[in-house]
């Protein structure tokens, strides 16, 4: 769920939080388990509650959908639990429901994610259903048409969602010639064009052992987990046939795109090029973001725009580290008549940060928050597995949880100043406004309703 | 409370389902998985006796304290619940409960405006609050060794809030922006507000938690102070601490910080009775921004506390059978077999202080006539009333619900929410702990009786969200108050900074 193009903004902030661990996470003991068949997983064993969360992902998500078949990965994600092996859709769903097993699939921008949650008492059934979903999905005609209808309904629903319209306009402007500019769910037309053969090819080409990452939390030992990994994933082909897109740099610097809608409140979304997760400046950028707009009530954007002036319920910034591009983003919403004021204030904070960096007090506060809040992520089995999975996918190393606090604490005022100067540029901002904003001169207006 | 179905029920629909849910902040970290959750060093689930195994005690001033130990990580959630919400407001002061919730983050005698949250963040924690019709709650998620810090600050603002116009008035604008963001910009939420107002014509559950825009605009510092001094007393509050902490650690701190706050008389929560209406009602919202229509049908239903309370557990089983996910009756019939809908489900939460709501929700397949869809939905609901449910349906639904109690233990927030909601609405720790047993004892006949009593009523409210010609709506002036129709955010997470602030709860 983390990196999908169409994700609600808050998810990407979540991603940021997940990508940054904290010190007391040392209490978490991660074991690397390699199955007899050679499949690797990271495990946090926890036998306090008799349940199990398995999270896994394949590289290659929405961005590898073939041209004209946009929405393929997303449609596939709705269908893997709609019939597999000997079970038709209703039988598969009945087995999940009657055993309180949850299996989910999500196509995101850079990866295809899945989660399996089960009680220990029903785990055998869960493993078997997960295996069938991955290796023998049926794509029965009835299920395909039903899920296609569901996706088309979601696409229609989004057409009236101002947050979606803002994201669409922003990503299409920032990535006009790149898969990142496309919609995860596709368009009505592209979704209609997806055939069962496309879905079968999707599974064959994208799910393999060489692009798989696995994380497990719960009541299971390393010895027990090995055979389970082979059972679920052993039938997958060795190699995936995924061609990742090229790296790209976001476009649209200085543009202001207006999407006129008959709404009482204007939704504002801004972006400029950012830092990828493997950038050596990642943590200085993280601290800059926290102080600017990532720190909720402690951020400058919230202080200036909400607390002092009462102009908004929420204004925020966040980092979006895709695999092949990166953005720094900011957004919020305000009554139409205040839209121009809010955009100006946001740009002003951008400039102030670029020119002056942060104060010593802000730096210290950011550090204690970013290190101290990290363990708050670990309060459910699912959440622990999510973190383990993302740390693996980002290539941070199994000792990352132990190192993270030191990495954050090592950031200096000078680092922040240097990175703020390099990273932030108010002139490079791409701004999207949806509503009937006053006080804004758009460089471009889009009043098409997305198909 | 109703378990959110795991699939295919659109989020907005789902939100409106959980009418009395306290999951206000959309930023809730852990999904509101099970309803009646549970905890740590629990015995084997086979016992099915108890869920979270909390410890509970009462301070001398009448403040109740509940501790749920869960030692997964060195983290706690600290929550203070006040037994007051939007349904306790004076007529004409709608929204004051929620507005005060925002203002509780302003100054006290010890803290400057906004400092509460800044201190929590500086200590690596997150804080926020939410308001419902029946309660208002404040919470901090922090490392276990910061318990004393947050408790001291929470006790401080229970006793010594200091409001000034300089902080109150801009915050009122923030609430108006919150209303625009949550409700006025979202046709589905506008309809929810309208439907709620039509279902509760006289009872205050018909007034949106956040308030109507015109009344919010008139709220003052005096209103907030009066509400605060009337209701925010220790004997009207419940403290819940969950996580890596024991009752032996909590008790001395609670006695030290909350103990000295003097109790005082708090008004009885007198709520008017909703008179019986024989008429069926329809609410139709046409909006230019709607491209995917939807339909909902709501019925008055008993809660744990009001009406035929014996139906409260059977209704949870009924909701699971009729609308709980992809194997439910509604999904099978309307989505799979008849292909009329792309999603279908039901919602029921028994947690209200007063009467509750049972709702059914559908979203049409492309090109499907709404009348036809409605007829098919009604046919399914009538069939339940007429023919009843089967023994097998009841057995599998009960098994699923009971298993949810085990999943509920796998979180910090879930258990804390369960006790907070229960105690703030007049129920007991034992009620929460007995949930699996009570679900297990539900019979087929009880489910059928409950179905007849609720779905057999002649006065449901049907709400329709429909597209409108673009020009017509675009030409309408902006209106926000009741004139434009009620809108409603369920439980209003007051202080969260919009849908975007991620894990940044507050």
């Amino acid at each position: 769920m983390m990196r999908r193009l169409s994700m609600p903004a808050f998810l990407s902030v979540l991603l940021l939080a997940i990508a940054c661990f904290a010190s007391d996470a040392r209490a978490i003991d991660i074991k690397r388990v390699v199955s007899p068949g050679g499949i690797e997983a990271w495990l946090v064993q926890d036998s306090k509650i008799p349940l199990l969360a398995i999270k896994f992902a394949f590289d290659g998500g929405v961005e590898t959908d073939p041209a004209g078949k946009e929405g393929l990965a997303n449609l596939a994600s709705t269908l893997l639990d709609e019939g597999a092996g000997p079970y038709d859709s209703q039988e598969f769903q009945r087995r999940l429901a009657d055993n309180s097993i949850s299996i989910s699939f999500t196509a995101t921008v850079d990866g295809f994610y899945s989660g399996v949650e089960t009680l220990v008492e029903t785990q055998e059934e869960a493993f078997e259903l997960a295996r069938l979903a991955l290796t023998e999905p049926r794509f029965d005609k009835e299920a395909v048409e039903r899920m296609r209808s569901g996706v088309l309904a979601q696409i229609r629903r989004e057409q009236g969602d101002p947050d979606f319209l803002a994201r669409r306009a922003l990503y299409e402007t920032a990535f006009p010639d790149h898969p990142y500019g496309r919609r995860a769910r596709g368009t009505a037309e592209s979704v209609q064009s997806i055939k069962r053969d496309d879905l079968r090819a999707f599974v064959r080409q994208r799910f393999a052992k060489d692009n798989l990452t696995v994380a497990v939390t719960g009541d299971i030992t390393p010895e027990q987990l090995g055979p389970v990994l082979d059972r679920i994933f052993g039938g997958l082909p060795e190699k995936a046939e995924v061609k990742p897109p090229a790296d790209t740099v976001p476009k649209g610097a200085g543009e202001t795109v207006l999407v006129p809608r008959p709404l009482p409140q204007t939704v504002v979304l801004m972006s400029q090029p950012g830092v990828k997760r493997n950038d050596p400046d990642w943590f200085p950028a993280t601290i800059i973001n926290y102080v600017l707009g990532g720190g909720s009530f402690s951020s400058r954007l919230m202080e200036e725009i909400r607390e002092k002036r009462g102009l908004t319920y929420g204004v925020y910034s966040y980092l979006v580290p895709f695999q092949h591009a990166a953005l720094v983003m900011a957004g919020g919403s305000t009554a139409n008549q205040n839209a121009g004021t809010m955009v100006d204030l946001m740009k002003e904070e951008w400039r102030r940060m670029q020119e002056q960096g942060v104060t010593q007090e802000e730096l210290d506060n950011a550090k204690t928050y970013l290190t101290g809040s990290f363990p708050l992520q670990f309060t459910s089995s699912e959440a622990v597995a999510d973190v383990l999975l993302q740390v693996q996918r980002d290539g941070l190393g199994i000792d990352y949880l132990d190192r993270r606090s030191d990495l954050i604490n090592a950031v200096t005022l000078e680092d922040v100043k240097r990175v703020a100067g390099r990273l932030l540029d108010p002139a490079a901002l791409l701004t999207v406004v949806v509503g009937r904003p006053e006080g804004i001169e758009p460089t471009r207006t889009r009043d098409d309703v997305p198909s | 409370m109703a378990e959110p179905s795991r699939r295919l029920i659109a989020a907005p629909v789902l939100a409106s389902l959980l009418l009395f849910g306290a999951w206000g902040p959309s930023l809730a970290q852990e999904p509101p998985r099970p309803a009646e959750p549970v905890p740590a060093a629990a015995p084997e689930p086979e016992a099915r006796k108890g869920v979270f195994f909390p410890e509970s005690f009462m301070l001398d001033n009448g403040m109740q304290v509940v501790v749920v130990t869960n030692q997964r990580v060195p983290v706690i959630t600290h929550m203070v619940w006040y037994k007051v919400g939007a349904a306790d407001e004076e007529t004409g002061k709608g929204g004051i409960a929620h507005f005060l919730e925002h203002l509780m983050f302003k100054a006290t005698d010890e803290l400057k405006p906004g400092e509460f949250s800044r201190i929590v963040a500086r200590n690596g924690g997150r804080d926020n609050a939410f308001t419902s019709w029946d309660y208002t709650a404040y919470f901090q998620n922090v490392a276990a060794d910061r318990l004393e810090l947050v408790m001291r600050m929470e006790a401080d603002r229970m006793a010594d809030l200091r409001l000034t116009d300089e902080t109150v008035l801009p915050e009122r604008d923030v609430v108006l922006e919150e209303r625009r963001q949550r409700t006025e910009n979202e046709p589905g939420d506008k309809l929810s507000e309208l439907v709620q107002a039509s279902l509760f014509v006289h009872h205050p559950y018909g007034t949106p938690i956040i308030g109507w825009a015109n009344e919010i605009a008139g709220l003052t510092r005096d209103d907030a102070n009066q509400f605060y001094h009337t209701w925010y007393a220790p004997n009207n509050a419940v403290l819940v601490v969950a996580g890596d902490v024991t009752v032996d650690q909590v008790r001395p701190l609670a006695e030290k910080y909350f103990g000295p706050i003097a109790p005082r008389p708090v008004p009885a929560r007198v709520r008017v009775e909703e008179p019986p209406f024989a008429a069926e009602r329809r609410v139709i919202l046409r909006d230019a921004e709607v491209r995917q229509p939807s339909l909902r049908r709501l019925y008055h239903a008993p809660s744990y506390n009001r009406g035929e309370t014996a139906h409260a557990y059977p209704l949870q089983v009924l909701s699971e059978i009729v609308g709980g996910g992809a194997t439910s009756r509604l999904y099978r019939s309307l989505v799979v077999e008849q292909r009329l809908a792309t999603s279908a489900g039901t919602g029921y939460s028994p947690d209200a202080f007063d009467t509750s709501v049972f709702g059914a929700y559908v979203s049409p397949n492309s090109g499907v006539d709404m009348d036809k869809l409605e007829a098919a939905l009604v046919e399914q609901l009538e069939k339940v009333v007429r023919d009843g449910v089967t023994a097998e349906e009841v057995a599998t639904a009960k098994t699923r619900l009971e298993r949810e109690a085990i999943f509920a233990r796998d979180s910090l927030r879930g258990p804390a929410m369960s006790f907070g909601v229960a105690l703030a609405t007049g129920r007991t720790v034992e009620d929460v702990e007995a949930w699996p047993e009570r679900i297990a004892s539900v019979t087929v006949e009880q489910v059928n009786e409950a179905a007849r009593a609720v779905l057999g009523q002649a006065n449901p409210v049907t709400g329709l969200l429909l597209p409108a010609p673009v020009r017509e709506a675009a030409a309408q002036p902006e209106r926000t108050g009741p004139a434009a129709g009620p809108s409603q955010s369920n439980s209003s997470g007051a202080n969260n900074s919009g849908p975007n602030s991620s894990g940044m709860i507050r």
Side-chain angles (χ1 to χ4, degrees):
Chain A
M1 190 67 132
M2 310 201 170
R3 291 179 175 180
R4 82 194 305 168
L5 220 50
S6 62
M7 71 189 157
F10 74 86
L11 271 183
S12 56
V13 189
L14 201 63
L15 168 62
L16 170 63
I18 283 172
C20 315
F21 266 46
S23 58
D24 286 330
R26 285 198 181 94
I28 301 276
D29 177 23
I30 307 172
K31 291 193 176 66
R32 180 170 173 269
V33 176
V34 180
S35 75
I39 291 163
E40 179 178 338
W42 287 7
L43 167 68
V44 169
Q45 199 179 331
D46 182 347
S47 51
K48 292 192 193 80
I49 302 175
L51 54 76
L52 203 57
I54 305 174
K55 298 278 180 159
F56 57 95
F58 298 100
D59 295 338
V62 167
E63 88 282 21
T64 55
D65 284 346
K69 306 275 185 189
E70 291 86 1
L72 173 60
N74 177 63
L75 184 61
S77 76
T78 69
L79 280 160
L80 297 181
D81 63 354
E82 285 288 336
Y87 309 132
D88 69 8
S89 168
Q90 273 292 301
E91 179 61 17
F92 197 95
Q93 288 294 330
R94 193 186 66 73
R95 283 170 181 269
L96 290 176
D98 289 357
N99 293 289
S100 304
I101 296 164
S102 164
I103 301 186
S104 61
F105 298 95
T106 310
T108 76
V109 172
D110 289 317
F112 192 91
Y113 284 75
S114 179
V116 178
E117 286 175 88
T118 177
L119 297 177
V120 167
E121 62 177 288
T122 54
Q123 65 181 4
E124 291 302 316
E125 184 78 32
F127 300 151
E128 177 61 8
L129 293 173
R131 180 187 77 80
L132 289 172
L134 281 180
T135 54
E136 300 180 35
R138 288 163 59 129
F139 301 120
D140 291 336
K141 187 162 184 302
E142 180 279 329
V144 172
E145 295 315 314
R146 180 159 43 86
M147 286 301 138
R148 194 196 309 274
S149 296
V151 170
L152 291 170
Q154 288 174 314
I155 288 173
R156 288 193 297 274
R157 196 171 291 118
E158 283 179 338
Q159 290 167 349
D161 173 358
D163 295 313
F164 168 77
L165 295 174
R167 288 194 301 275
R168 179 187 69 121
L170 188 132
Y171 282 111
E172 288 184 3
T173 309
F175 301 110
D177 307 315
H178 192 276
Y180 286 167
R182 308 189 308 207
R183 278 174 273 162
R185 285 203 183 92
T187 64
E189 189 186 6
S190 71
V191 170
Q192 291 286 9
S193 77
I194 297 169
K195 305 280 192 292
R196 290 170 70 195
D197 282 349
D198 296 318
L199 293 159
R200 291 196 194 96
F202 173 89
V203 168
R204 202 171 51 240
Q205 293 165 359
R206 312 262 197 114
F207 299 169
K209 291 177 188 170
D210 75 334
N211 69 336
L212 170 69
T213 313
V214 186
V216 180
T217 308
D219 192 3
I220 191 167
T221 65
E223 294 69 32
Q224 291 166 330
L225 178 58
V228 170
L229 296 173
D230 284 342
R231 181 161 160 204
I232 298 174
F233 304 106
L236 294 174
E238 293 300 323
K239 284 188 156 331
E241 301 169 43
V242 183
K243 203 160 168 260
D247 286 1
T248 188
V249 176
K251 307 192 172 45
E255 286 211 55
T256 299
V257 181
L258 167 66
V259 183
R261 305 307 309 162
L263 299 167
Q265 193 183 53
T266 295
V267 173
V268 176
L269 199 58
M270 293 176 163
S271 76
Q272 62 148 91
V275 285
K276 288 196 215 169
R277 184 60 188 82
N278 59 6
D279 191 305
D281 287 336
W282 172 259
F283 280 113
T286 297
I287 286 171
I288 289 165
N289 173 62
Y290 177 80
V291 175
L292 180 64
S296 189
F297 281 77
S298 304
S299 78
R300 291 182 180 180
L301 288 175
M302 282 288 267
E303 176 67 21
E304 292 300 320
I305 300 175
R306 172 172 160 153
E307 297 301 306
K308 282 191 189 163
R309 297 175 177 84
L311 291 178
T312 187
Y313 178 52
V315 57
Y316 50 86
S317 69
Y318 52 100
L319 304 179
V320 182
F322 292 135
Q323 278 176 3
H324 305 286
L327 297 169
V328 188
M329 296 187 67
S333 56
T334 189
N336 286 321
Q337 67 268 23
N338 297 327
T341 307
M342 177 150 142
V343 167
D344 290 345
L345 287 166
M346 291 170 76
K347 288 184 174 173
E348 171 58 21
E349 288 308 312
W350 222 261
R351 191 192 56 74
R352 185 158 73 96
M353 181 67 81
Q354 177 197 28
E355 291 175 358
Q356 299 167 18
V358 304
T359 66
Q360 184 68 48
E361 189 189 0
E362 286 172 327
L363 177 65
D364 294 343
N365 289 343
K367 286 179 176 178
T368 56
Y369 176 80
L370 291 169
T371 55
S373 66
F374 191 62
L376 302 182
Q377 307 284 338
F378 295 85
T379 55
S380 74
S381 304
E382 248 195 299
V384 172
D386 278 335
V387 173
L388 296 190
L389 187 68
Q390 200 57 41
V391 170
Q392 285 181 83
R393 280 180 53 78
D394 288 340
L396 301 174
I398 201 163
D399 61 344
Y400 174 73
L401 274 62
D402 292 335
R403 291 186 293 115
R404 179 179 177 275
S405 288
D406 292 342
L407 293 170
I408 291 169
N409 287 324
V411 175
T412 65
L413 264 186
E414 289 65 39
D415 292 334
V416 170
K417 184 120 201 261
R418 171 180 56 79
V419 175
R422 164 183 94 100
L423 181 66
L424 300 180
D425 179 5
L429 279 168
L430 160 62
T431 305
V432 172
V433 280
V434 180
R436 290 187 288 198
E438 294 173 21
I440 292 195
E441 282 300 318
T443 56
R444 197 142 61 82
T445 297
R446 310 181 49 150
D447 48 12
D448 60 313
V449 170
S451 59
Chain B
M1 96 165 295
E3 181 212 354
S5 269
R6 288 182 184 163
R7 62 202 315 272
L8 272 188
I9 298 187
V13 173
L14 204 109
S16 55
L17 275 189
L18 301 172
L19 281 174
F20 292 91
W23 321 105
S26 45
L27 317 175
Q29 289 220 278
E30 293 127 86
R33 244 267 173 114
E36 306 279 291
V38 200
E44 283 308 291
E46 284 72 32
R48 302 281 192 235
K49 298 265 187 192
V51 185
F52 302 111
F53 308 93
E55 295 195 71
S56 173
F57 60 94
M58 189 81 83
L59 297 178
D60 291 343
N61 60 14
M63 184 168 175
Q64 190 169 2
V65 183
V66 180
V67 179
V68 187
T69 301
N70 175 349
Q71 293 170 323
R72 182 200 302 280
V73 279
V75 163
I76 54 161
T77 187
H78 174 264
M79 306 184 97
V80 169
W81 295 70
Y82 292 98
K83 300 176 191 177
V84 63
D88 301 303
E89 292 161 345
E90 260 178 61
T91 303
K93 301 291 180 194
I96 190 64
H98 168 258
F99 185 32
L100 174 60
E101 179 217 311
H102 278 238
L103 297 175
M104 285 287 281
F105 292 87
K106 303 303 182 190
T108 68
D109 58 338
E110 292 181 11
L111 296 175
K112 293 193 290 255
E115 208 178 345
F116 190 106
S117 293
R118 278 197 293 275
I119 290 173
V120 172
R122 208 180 293 147
N123 282 275
R126 298 168 183 180
D127 71 320
N128 211 331
F130 48 82
T131 306
S132 102
W133 278 288
D134 295 325
Y135 45 79
T136 313
Y138 301 82
F139 65 92
Q140 301 85 37
N141 297 338
V142 288
D145 62 4
R146 307 302 157 97
L147 172 62
E148 180 165 7
L149 170 80
V150 295
M151 198 185 284
R152 189 181 72 220
M153 293 200 299
E154 197 63 87
D156 173 45
R157 68 178 171 179
M158 178 187 285
D160 290 310
L161 188 67
R162 300 281 166 85
L163 298 178
T164 64
D165 282 347
E166 287 66 43
T167 53
V168 167
L169 298 180
E171 197 62 32
R172 194 172 64 189
D173 292 335
V174 168
V175 174
L176 287 165
E177 287 298 339
E178 178 181 359
R179 196 187 144 79
R180 282 188 194 98
Q181 179 176 318
R182 285 176 174 270
T183 307
E184 289 154 27
N185 252 25
E186 304 284 343
D189 293 333
K190 266 195 257 187
L191 178 65
S192 297
E193 200 175 70
L194 282 159
V195 168
Q196 184 78 13
S198 307
L199 187 66
F200 293 99
V201 174
H202 185 50
H203 191 280
Y205 285 164
T207 304
I209 293 163
I210 197 170
W212 304 112
N214 61 323
E215 287 189 8
I216 297 170
L219 296 174
T220 66
R221 179 173 58 129
D222 286 346
D223 295 329
N225 270 327
Q226 192 188 333
F227 198 82
Y228 174 73
H229 290 296
T230 303
W231 296 101
Y232 279 44
N235 43 312
N236 199 41
V238 178
L239 170 66
V240 185
V241 185
D244 189 4
V245 67
T246 65
V247 72
D248 291 338
Q249 293 168 306
V250 172
R251 190 195 299 265
L253 292 174
E255 283 170 352
K256 179 175 175 186
Y257 292 107
F258 288 108
I261 304 174
R264 56 179 191 271
V266 171
R269 306 175 81 179
V270 182
R271 305 262 181 91
V272 295
E273 289 270 329
E274 182 74 10
F277 290 105
E280 195 177 336
R281 283 154 280 174
R282 293 179 83 71
V283 178
I284 302 169
L285 179 64
R286 293 179 199 277
D287 189 297
E289 295 307 280
V290 174
R291 289 172 178 80
Q292 171 63 27
S294 64
L295 184 153
R296 64 196 76 184
R297 191 174 169 90
L298 303 190
Y299 299 83
H300 285 290
S303 68
Y304 287 132
N305 302 301
R306 292 289 183 278
E308 290 297 325
T309 55
H311 292 325
Y313 291 94
L315 283 172
Q316 293 167 68
V317 177
L318 178 73
S319 184
E320 183 69 20
I321 293 169
V322 177
T327 55
S328 69
R329 285 186 173 208
L330 288 184
Y331 187 90
R332 255 189 359 245
S333 170
L334 302 180
V335 181
V336 179
E337 289 162 12
Q338 303 186 60
R339 302 174 151 274
L340 294 171
T342 60
S343 64
T346 53
Y348 168 68
S349 163
D351 287 309
F353 180 82
D354 278 338
T355 185
S356 188
V357 178
F358 191 100
Y361 307 80
V362 289
S363 190
N365 215 333
S366 179
V368 168
D369 181 79
M370 291 300 279
D371 291 342
K372 191 173 174 192
L373 177 62
E374 183 174 350
L377 171 66
V378 172
E379 160 60 23
Q380 285 302 312
L381 298 174
E382 285 177 347
K383 194 170 154 201
V384 176
V385 175
R386 193 173 61 234
D387 305 336
V389 297
T390 69
E392 192 195 347
E393 284 177 317
V394 171
T396 55
K398 281 161 53 174
T399 305
R400 284 188 232 168
L401 289 170
E402 289 170 66
R403 285 194 176 126
E404 288 298 333
I406 305 176
F407 284 108
R409 291 164 47 196
D410 186 38
S411 108
L412 281 189
R413 193 176 153 86
M417 292 294 300
S418 292
F419 289 112
V421 170
L423 298 177
T425 53
R427 302 175 64 243
T428 65
V429 165
E430 291 69 34
D431 287 327
V432 175
E433 292 296 285
W435 185 80
E437 287 174 84
R438 292 182 189 169
I439 286 291
S441 72
V442 169
T443 66
V444 174
E445 189 41 47
Q446 287 171 338
V447 175
N448 288 335
E449 274 176 37
R452 286 192 293 270
V454 172
L455 300 179
Q457 292 171 105
N459 61 345
V461 174
T462 302
L464 285 154
L465 184 63
L466 300 174
V470 177
R471 282 307 119 200
E472 178 194 331
Q476 281 174 7
E478 273 178 41
R479 287 177 302 170
T480 50
S487 61
Q488 175 41 17
S489 54
N490 308 329
S491 60
S492 213
N495 268 306
N496 64 63
S497 42
N500 313 302
S501 61
S502 86
M504 300 299 188
I505 299 195
R506 156 6 164 163

